[in-house]
């Protein structure tokens, strides 16, 4: 469970499988309504422990952020009859792979996952989204977890090299309790990566609560996509799974 960018994918997979196994036990405990899965790196991330580690926290409630994400997922499903993540990320961006058309926010695609820069996201934020719809990451198979580990290690190495070892937060959005999901077809789990930078919040943001986007996600995606392709070329691997590279 070391620095993800510089350890092997097999080691990353061990950490993910351990976290998933622990989650499957914790979710069965009485009064647990939500599990939080996250990793912090560096002082800007809020981390207080020096040694590398991942964390799982059980809560007797749903956080306001989770309520918000579930409400938006349900509303989209009620209006259009489909999962918003499947439509926006998996189908629309997936249709670009292997064609002459490239999504400007697609960074990389593996067998089971899409790596994207979300629309209007904070600086260099990355989402890793499973191609197979599921509200809970606890349902991911061993094959999918191993593919997630390879994808995560590749993306973190690209971030490490492109941004000179930035501090970051990683967390998994996952709705693991059937009674909290509501509409399973509407909710899609994902892994989110947030590189952290000094002075992320300015006066306007603190005074208004309005988030200011300091650049274009398309440009950040292009930078990371090119870095991913460079890493794959050095490894002698196929680079056709990328998206918005020059």
């Amino acid at each position: 469970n070391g620095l993800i960018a510089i350890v092997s994918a097999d080691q990353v997979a061990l950490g993910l499988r351990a976290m998933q196994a622990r989650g499957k036990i914790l979710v069965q405990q009485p009064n647990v309504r939500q599990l939080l899965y996250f990793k912090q790196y560096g002082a800007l991330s809020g981390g207080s422990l020096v040694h590398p580690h991942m964390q799982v926290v059980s809560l007797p409630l749903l956080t306001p952020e989770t309520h918000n994400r579930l409400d938006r997922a349900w509303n989209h499903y009620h209006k259009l009859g489909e999962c918003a993540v499947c439509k926006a990320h998996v189908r629309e961006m997936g249709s670009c792979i292997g064609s002459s058309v490239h999504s400007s926010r697609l960074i990389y695609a593996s067998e089971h996952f899409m790596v994207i820069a979300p629309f209007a996201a904070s600086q260099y934020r990355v989402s890793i989204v499973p191609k197979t719809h599921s509200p809970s990451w606890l349902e991911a198979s061993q094959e999918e977890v191993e593919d997630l580990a390879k994808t995560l290690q590749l993306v973190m190495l690209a971030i490490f090299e492109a941004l000179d070892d930035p501090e970051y937060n990683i967390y998994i959005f996952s709705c693991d309790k059937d009674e909290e999901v509501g509409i399973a077809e509407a909710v899609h789990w994902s892994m989110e990566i947030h590189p952290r930078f000094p002075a992320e919040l300015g006066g306007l943001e603190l005074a208004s609560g309005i988030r200011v986007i300091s650049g274009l996600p398309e440009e950040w995606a292009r930078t990371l996509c090119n870095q991913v392709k460079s890493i794959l070329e050095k490894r002698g691997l196929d680079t056709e799974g990328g998206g918005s590279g020059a």
Side-chain angles (χ1 to χ4, degrees):
N1 194 11
L3 183 60
I4 294 177
I6 60 175
V7 300
S8 69
D10 289 341
Q11 190 169 343
V12 178
L14 285 174
L16 291 176
R17 287 202 297 269
M19 190 162 59
Q20 187 188 55
R22 192 62 183 162
K24 289 179 178 179
I25 294 174
L26 290 173
V27 78
Q28 300 176 33
Q29 303 307 305
N31 302 319
V32 171
R33 295 184 61 188
Q34 181 178 358
L35 296 178
L36 302 178
Y37 311 88
F38 59 94
K39 178 177 176 62
Q40 304 177 136
Y41 172 66
L44 293 176
S45 72
S48 57
L49 300 177
V50 176
H51 67 274
H53 62 286
M54 297 179 180
Q55 299 183 58
V56 184
V57 175
S58 62
L59 297 177
L61 50 81
L62 294 184
T63 67
E65 172 63 17
T66 299
H67 273 297
N68 183 33
R69 293 187 69 154
L70 290 176
D71 285 343
R72 286 186 282 126
W74 295 335
N75 288 338
H76 185 278
Y77 187 84
H78 284 308
K79 290 179 180 178
L80 300 176
E82 60 184 346
C83 167
V85 174
C86 287
K87 178 181 186 300
H89 298 330
V90 178
R91 288 205 303 274
E92 292 183 2
M93 291 196 179
S95 65
C96 301
I97 300 172
S99 72
S100 59
V101 179
H102 294 285
S103 168
S104 58
R105 291 186 289 109
L106 176 63
I107 298 169
Y108 176 74
S110 69
E111 181 178 357
H112 296 289
F113 294 90
M114 309 282 289
V115 182
I116 63 166
F119 180 75
S122 55
Q123 191 172 12
Y124 286 100
R125 177 181 165 185
V126 173
S127 295
I128 301 179
V129 180
K131 295 179 180 178
T132 300
H133 179 89
S134 175
S136 172
W137 97 288
L138 299 182
E139 298 175 357
S141 67
Q142 181 171 333
E143 178 182 334
E144 289 171 322
V145 172
E146 291 177 355
D147 188 41
L148 175 60
K150 294 177 182 177
T151 302
L152 177 60
Q153 195 280 329
L154 174 63
V155 172
M156 294 310 298
L157 179 56
I159 291 174
F160 179 91
E161 294 183 348
L163 305 180
D164 192 22
D165 188 19
E167 299 168 38
Y168 60 80
N169 294 89
I170 299 175
Y171 69 90
I172 297 174
F173 169 74
S174 178
C175 201
D176 303 320
K177 302 281 286 190
D178 292 340
E179 56 269 35
E180 306 295 352
V181 173
I183 307 172
E185 294 81 2
V187 183
H188 202 119
W189 77 268
S190 65
M191 176 177 283
E192 309 291 340
I193 304 169
H194 288 249
R196 304 300 297 271
F197 304 97
E200 285 186 315
L201 296 178
L204 174 62
E205 292 156 307
L206 292 173
S208 67
I210 299 173
R211 185 76 183 185
V212 176
I213 305 301
S214 59
L216 295 176
E218 291 80 3
E219 294 178 355
W220 302 328
R222 185 180 304 112
T223 297
L224 295 179
C225 179
N226 287 335
Q227 194 68 46
V228 165
K229 289 182 176 179
S230 175
I231 294 168
L232 292 176
E233 288 174 355
K234 291 176 183 177
R235 294 177 177 177
L237 300 175
D238 179 31
T239 63
E240 293 303 313
S244 58

